[in-house]
Each structure stands twice: as C-alpha cells, then as structure tokens.
Amino acid sequence: MAVQRMLFARTDRLGETLLNLPAIAALNASFPSASLTLLVHPDLVPLLSRLPMVERVMAYPPGSRGLWWMRAVRLARRLRAQRFDLAVISNPVKE
C-alpha cells in the first residue's frame, strides 16, 4: 500500500515538539509524495503551520481532566475521517 496521508502527533510542550523536527523531516523525506499532518498542542499551531514540509496542523482538544474521554472520542472521529495511512505518535509513555 502506498502512503498518501501521514499523521505525526506530539501533543505536549514546545521544547519537546521542536526536538521532534528531525523525525518529522525524516518522515517527510521517506514519503515525499504523501501529505503530512501534525497533531500538536493548540498553542503551537501558528508556529508549526509555517513548516514547509507540513500540509496541515491540527490542534488536539484542550480541556480539564474531567471529561477527557469525550474529547478523546471527538478527536478519534476527526482523525478517522482523515483516513491516515500512517501515524507516528511521539508522546512519551507516562509511568
């Protein structure tokens, strides 16, 4: 299967997201004809929208911890509608 739509997700702070720029560039270089979407913290959308290798930047839904599962369901629906062929989730595992 050819990869046409890719998602790279890093939904935390600026520094950690910027440290992932080489990985984002490598992903883009590996699949040059695919469109690349980033899923990031809402505050980072204006900055990361300027990256030439990125076609689209999406913000994950912010909010309190209270109804996290509702936000997760809405986000899952948004992502499923995009029909990504490949997704890289770069967030660390919390222990």
Side-chain angles (χ1 to χ4, degrees):
M1 170 194 354
V3 175
Q4 296 176 3
R5 288 174 298 280
M6 303 181 293
L7 173 71
F8 189 94
R10 182 69 192 214
T11 58
D12 57 0
R13 299 173 298 268
L14 174 64
E16 287 78 5
T17 302
L18 293 179
L19 289 172
N20 277 268
L21 289 180
I24 294 167
L27 183 63
N28 190 54
S30 296
F31 302 98
S33 62
S35 67
L36 177 59
T37 298
L38 300 181
L39 177 66
V40 299
H41 188 282
D43 293 341
L44 302 181
V45 171
L47 175 65
L48 297 176
S49 294
R50 296 173 181 246
L51 293 175
M53 66 189 111
V54 175
E55 184 172 314
R56 184 172 173 213
V57 180
M58 297 172 62
Y60 77 92
S64 64
R65 295 193 184 275
L67 297 175
W68 64 268
W69 58 273
M70 288 180 72
R71 289 190 314 280
V73 168
R74 279 186 287 234
L75 178 59
R77 287 180 181 151
R78 282 178 57 203
L79 295 177
R80 188 175 307 162
Q82 298 299 313
R83 302 185 55 88
F84 291 109
D85 301 308
L86 173 69
V88 176
I89 311 302
S90 182
N91 283 33
V93 176
K94 295 184 181 185
E95 296 184 31

